[in-house]
Amino acid sequence: MFGKIRGAGRRVSRYFAARSARYLAGAAAVVLSVVVLVTPSAYVIEMPGPTQDVLGTVDSGTVIDVEGVDTYEDSGELLLVTVSAMGVSRYPLTNAQVLWGWLDPQITVLPREAVVPVGMTDEEYEEKNAESMSSSQDAAVAAAKTYIAAHADELGVSPDVLDDATITMHVDDIGGPSAGMMYTLGLISKLTEADEAGGEIIAGTGTIDESGEVGSIGGIRLKMLGAKRDGATWFLAPEANCGSVVGHVPDGLRDVKVSTLEEAYAALVAIGNGEGDDLPHCTA
């Protein structure tokens, strides 16, 4: 009898020992998972960033401030669009945040080196973005001068109107070169009596050079989402980015393919006049 009790006791002890081991293993796995999730990640996440009406104002002043010549109001909005990136500067993401990004269809997850070149410091990255923004503003002024000189009569302005103007551009906490085209359109719009946007909210993106060529940019899918979120119904997209536009235009947003300032300004005027339906879409 006692032998049977002692045998049963050993079985009970082994049962509780095995069960305790499983609990300990489970607890260790939970702790390890938590540690992994809070560990800094080698990835960055990108999401739709803020937009800014280049015909409007920011805390530091009018976005496009033109002094020395007459300027005119427009009833619409011309939105530059941006991508917000987390994990690229000073504060790395945790693996938990990256996991959240993978689960969200409006977020893109990328290796950090795909955004920040290997060996570049946070300070150098921020400085590069600021320099790119400054260069895009200079290119926008140069492109506007070239365009106005060639189209002064139809625009109703002097071909050298900008020669006597002082132009300052203010955009808070936005970097990179991709707003060049929208800066150019905004500057031309401010110098003409015509109400180009005609009350519409028109977003767009693309680099610009002095000759008026519109160049490709990154993150266009996210930028279209930001444009739609902030009320835009039209989106001027660089032809070079059309492969990333097709199939990803949000409902309620109409894309327009442009490759030059000439095409972009013509599209702006057509949209403002209610004649945008025949403007070209991006195609595959």
Side-chain angles (χ1 to χ4, degrees), residues 53-57 61-66 71 167-170 182-188 190:
D53 178 16
V54 298
L55 301 177
T57 60
T62 303
V63 174
I64 302 176
D65 184 47
V66 185
T71 58
I167 303 164
T168 308
M169 297 189 185
H170 307 93
M182 297 307 289
Y183 281 136
T184 310
L185 292 175
L187 178 54
I188 295 171
K190 290 178 77 77

Side-chain angles (χ1 to χ4, degrees), residues 12 75 106-107 168 224 272 279:
V12 170
S75 64
Q106 294 196 11
I107 290 177
T168 308
M224 289 190 293
L279 290 170

Side-chain angles (χ1 to χ4, degrees), residues 2-66:
F2 291 113
K4 291 181 180 179
I5 293 174
R6 284 197 294 269
R10 284 195 293 270
R11 287 195 296 273
V12 170
S13 296
R14 286 197 296 270
Y15 168 77
F16 282 110
R19 190 170 183 182
S20 296
R22 287 197 297 271
Y23 280 139
L24 287 173
V30 170
V31 171
L32 180 61
S33 297
V34 171
V35 170
V36 169
L37 288 174
V38 300
T39 298
S41 174
Y43 290 88
V44 302
I45 60 175
E46 294 183 337
M47 63 193 74
T51 65
Q52 175 61 55
D53 178 16
V54 298
L55 301 177
T57 60
V58 291
D59 290 343
S60 53
T62 303
V63 174
I64 302 176
D65 184 47
V66 185

Side-chain angles (χ1 to χ4, degrees), residues 152-220:
D153 289 342
E154 57 196 89
L155 293 172
V157 298
S158 167
D160 58 359
V161 63
L162 288 177
D163 290 350
D164 299 320
T166 300
I167 303 164
T168 308
M169 297 189 185
H170 307 93
V171 179
D172 297 336
D173 300 324
I174 294 177
S178 63
M181 180 185 71
M182 297 307 289
Y183 281 136
T184 310
L185 292 175
L187 178 54
I188 295 171
S189 179
K190 290 178 77 77
L191 293 170
T192 60
E193 291 190 60
D195 184 8
E196 284 96 339
E200 298 284 346
I201 301 178
I202 304 166
T205 188
T207 64
I208 199 79
D209 65 18
E210 185 173 350
S211 67
E213 292 294 319
V214 175
S216 64
I217 50 80
I220 196 163

Side-chain angles (χ1 to χ4, degrees), residues 207-258:
T207 64
I208 199 79
D209 65 18
E210 185 173 350
S211 67
E213 292 294 319
V214 175
S216 64
I217 50 80
I220 196 163
R221 296 180 188 179
L222 299 176
K223 290 176 179 178
M224 289 190 293
L225 291 171
K228 176 63 169 58
R229 177 200 64 207
D230 290 350
T233 52
W234 297 87
F235 191 92
L236 307 181
E239 183 176 9
N241 285 112
C242 276
S244 299
V245 171
V246 176
H248 298 282
V249 181
D251 291 340
L253 189 69
R254 164 67 151 89
D255 69 292
V256 179
K257 176 183 69 176
V258 297

